[in-house]
Amino acid sequence: MDVVSTSTSPFACKICNQKAHGNHFGVISCRACAAFFRRTASSKWSKMGCRGGSCDQDTYSCKPCRLQKCRDAGMDTTKFQYSRDNIPTVGQFQLPPPSIETYVGRPEFLLFCDTDAPNTKVLIDVRYLLEEAGRILNNGNESPIWADTQLKKLAHAYKFIRVDFENMKMIQHADQKNIMEMWEYYFITVTKWLMYFDEFQKLNRHLQMTLLQSIWHVFQKLHKYVSTMAYRKANPYAKPSHVIIKDLFMDINNVSMDSSWMSDYPHEHVMRYLMVQTCHDFDIIGTLLEIDPTEVELTYLFAQLCFEYAGKRYQGDILKVTESFQEILANDLHHYYVEELNRPRYFLRLAKLLKVNSAIQKAIWESRPKMELGRVFNVLKIDYSHPEMFEDSGFY
């Protein structure tokens, strides 16, 4: 497959006007200025004035002046993105830089995407999304969570999975921004969700990030079915064409999608290619409506799907870890059925639930040859900074 090279950033550093490499501490900047700010933000230079008395405004060779320039541009050690809709106070000489999303017209953590250059691949750099996930992992949960089993503790995080139907947005046209916001939403949601699982927190950072990068899109597939099931349960007159993705409501019979940014092929061919992972032979939403699972059961369903997929994909250490996770959660589910629901004969119910996961995984495995063929013919003109994160996502 021919891969056309792309540039990573067309923007200049807000501090030194050299070529920027990304969003550092809330400001478009180069790595040198970002490293300087990281070293000096809390140093003695932060309390000192200009050492020479008349530093050149463009070069700022004096460290206190260069540090002040970083702060004036909006750099802050607590930021990955400058505050949205910031209004300057009276007396400021210039507006603070806008948010990354506002500046480039794309979601905040997915940088950069050069979709304007002709005959080139679209480069999607997710380094800053991974940085945000790392921040969440470092900070941990806001408050201690207590539960008598790991499964019930993980079920406390169902608040990240549950859709707020009162604040859903209707969408009739999906474009590049919508797709990228969806990726960002599910990656961050999975990160927050897994922070409620003690066994996940015990892993080293490499294993944690490997799991997150591999399961977010599998989680997304099940979330679409579960959210749509919940919507149809609450709305008896909902149509079969009504679907919930993230916090968006759409009628698939009346929604259009812009595929020009991701492919040079005709739109109908691209849409057919993106649909290869659809579960045509199994009514997932109908099964979920029939069983009407509890939040604890749905939590187990999400965990079992994600961990089984990751184990099969990576084998080795990941397989050992995910098998131990599944054993712990299976024992917890047994306790939940027998001790709390007084339902020792739960095998048939659980078997029906797990058919949902089997159908999703089957669709993924069977799509692989078609996706590989699509890469041979360059159906999608997308390159990723971390391609392993998008394998089996349907956009790789």
Side-chain angles (χ1 to χ4, degrees):
M1 178 173 65
D2 294 327
V3 179
V4 182
S5 62
T6 59
S7 61
T8 55
S9 172
F11 306 113
C13 174
K14 296 295 184 180
I15 314 303
C16 66
N17 292 321
Q18 299 301 310
K19 181 179 179 181
H21 296 98
N23 176 23
H24 303 285
F25 301 105
V27 173
I28 294 290
S29 59
C30 65
R31 294 190 183 96
C33 287
F36 170 80
F37 183 73
R38 182 170 57 251
R39 292 193 307 269
T40 61
S42 301
S43 71
K44 63 180 181 180
W45 306 113
S46 64
K47 300 179 181 179
M48 296 176 63
C50 177
R51 301 183 70 191
S54 58
C55 277
D56 182 86
Q57 188 172 355
D58 294 322
T59 59
Y60 290 95
S61 57
C62 166
K63 289 185 178 180
C65 287
R66 185 181 180 189
L67 178 58
Q68 187 59 46
K69 178 72 179 295
C70 292
R71 296 193 187 282
D72 289 343
M75 279 193 173
D76 190 316
T77 54
T78 66
K79 293 180 181 178
F80 281 87
Q81 176 186 351
Y82 204 91
S83 301
R84 298 170 188 261
D85 301 323
N86 205 340
I87 301 175
T89 56
V90 177
Q92 287 183 316
F93 293 100
Q94 61 180 23
L95 290 172
S99 69
I100 294 300
E101 181 174 12
T102 303
Y103 194 80
V104 300
R106 302 182 180 104
E108 55 188 300
F109 295 120
L110 295 168
L111 306 172
F112 289 100
C113 300
D114 187 4
T115 59
D116 299 322
N119 301 318
T120 62
K121 289 276 189 175
V122 176
L123 175 63
I124 296 180
D125 189 340
V126 296
R127 286 174 296 173
Y128 310 105
L129 181 58
L130 299 180
E131 286 182 12
E132 175 65 7
R135 184 189 67 79
I136 295 172
L137 295 176
N138 287 335
N139 291 344
N141 293 322
E142 296 179 357
S143 59
I145 304 296
W146 184 90
D148 55 355
T149 68
Q150 287 289 297
L151 179 60
K152 290 184 69 175
K153 196 169 186 178
L154 191 56
H156 278 290
Y158 201 84
K159 62 184 178 182
F160 298 119
I161 299 175
R162 190 185 304 111
V163 175
D164 181 4
F165 294 121
E166 297 297 324
N167 294 301
M168 280 195 310
K169 294 172 285 187
M170 179 178 290
I171 183 170
Q172 295 180 317
H173 178 75
D175 55 18
Q176 174 193 353
K177 186 172 184 289
N178 298 129
I179 298 296
M180 296 177 68
E181 284 178 340
M182 179 182 68
W183 294 343
E184 178 184 315
Y185 169 84
Y186 280 111
F187 191 79
I188 295 301
T189 296
V190 168
T191 305
K192 293 178 179 179
W193 174 64
L194 282 179
M195 287 303 296
Y196 283 70
F197 188 34
D198 290 346
E199 299 303 312
F200 175 80
Q201 294 191 49
K202 294 176 184 177
L203 299 178
N204 62 52
R205 181 56 54 85
H206 173 72
L207 289 178
Q208 286 180 332
M209 295 304 294
T210 299
L211 279 174
L212 290 176
Q213 290 181 67
S214 66
I215 68 177
W216 68 273
H217 56 82
V218 186
F219 180 99
Q220 169 197 319
K221 298 178 195 303
L222 180 56
H223 187 264
K224 178 185 71 174
Y225 294 122
V226 169
S227 300
T228 303
M229 175 272 294
Y231 173 78
R232 294 184 185 178
K233 179 182 174 183
N235 298 273
Y237 299 104
K239 298 178 181 179
S241 57
H242 290 172
V243 173
I244 309 297
I245 299 179
K246 194 168 78 74
D247 58 350
L248 303 175
F249 167 86
M250 64 183 69
D251 186 333
I252 57 177
N253 291 335
N254 296 297
V255 65
S256 61
M257 177 176 171
D258 174 22
S259 62
S260 60
W261 67 274
M262 69 173 75
S263 178
D264 293 325
Y265 279 76
H267 175 73
E268 59 272 16
H269 294 177
V270 178
M271 296 309 299
R272 193 176 302 121
Y273 177 75
L274 296 177
M275 294 292 288
V276 297
Q277 292 187 354
T278 303
C279 304
H280 294 291
D281 57 346
F282 186 74
D283 185 3
I284 291 179
I285 297 175
T287 297
L288 291 172
L289 283 169
E290 176 189 346
I291 298 174
D292 192 17
T294 65
E295 289 191 352
V296 172
E297 289 177 308
L298 288 173
T299 298
Y300 178 79
L301 206 60
F302 275 100
Q304 194 274 339
L305 173 66
C306 291
F307 296 147
E308 184 175 29
Y309 166 81
K312 288 181 178 178
R313 173 174 164 180
Y314 285 104
Q315 302 294 311
D317 291 340
I318 293 290
L319 178 60
K320 294 177 182 177
V321 166
T322 55
E323 284 182 339
S324 68
F325 286 180
Q326 291 181 78
E327 182 178 0
I328 291 170
L329 295 175
N331 290 335
D332 290 348
L333 184 67
H334 173 78
H335 179 272
Y336 172 72
Y337 277 131
V338 175
E339 302 298 329
E340 296 192 33
L341 300 185
N342 192 25
R343 188 171 188 163
R345 298 181 180 179
Y346 60 85
F347 177 77
L348 290 178
R349 179 178 178 84
L350 181 58
K352 286 184 178 181
L353 275 174
L354 292 182
K355 281 185 178 180
V356 170
N357 287 356
S358 296
I360 294 174
Q361 291 205 63
K362 179 183 178 183
I364 292 174
W365 308 136
E366 291 182 347
S367 73
R368 283 180 170 177
K370 298 176 183 177
M371 302 299 287
E372 180 62 33
L373 189 62
R375 287 192 289 275
V376 170
F377 288 98
N378 292 324
V379 174
L380 299 182
K381 57 178 182 180
I382 306 177
D383 273 344
Y384 302 98
S385 61
H386 295 70
E388 66 278 5
M389 181 172 159
F390 291 88
E391 288 184 23
D392 289 330
S393 69
F395 290 90
Y396 178 65

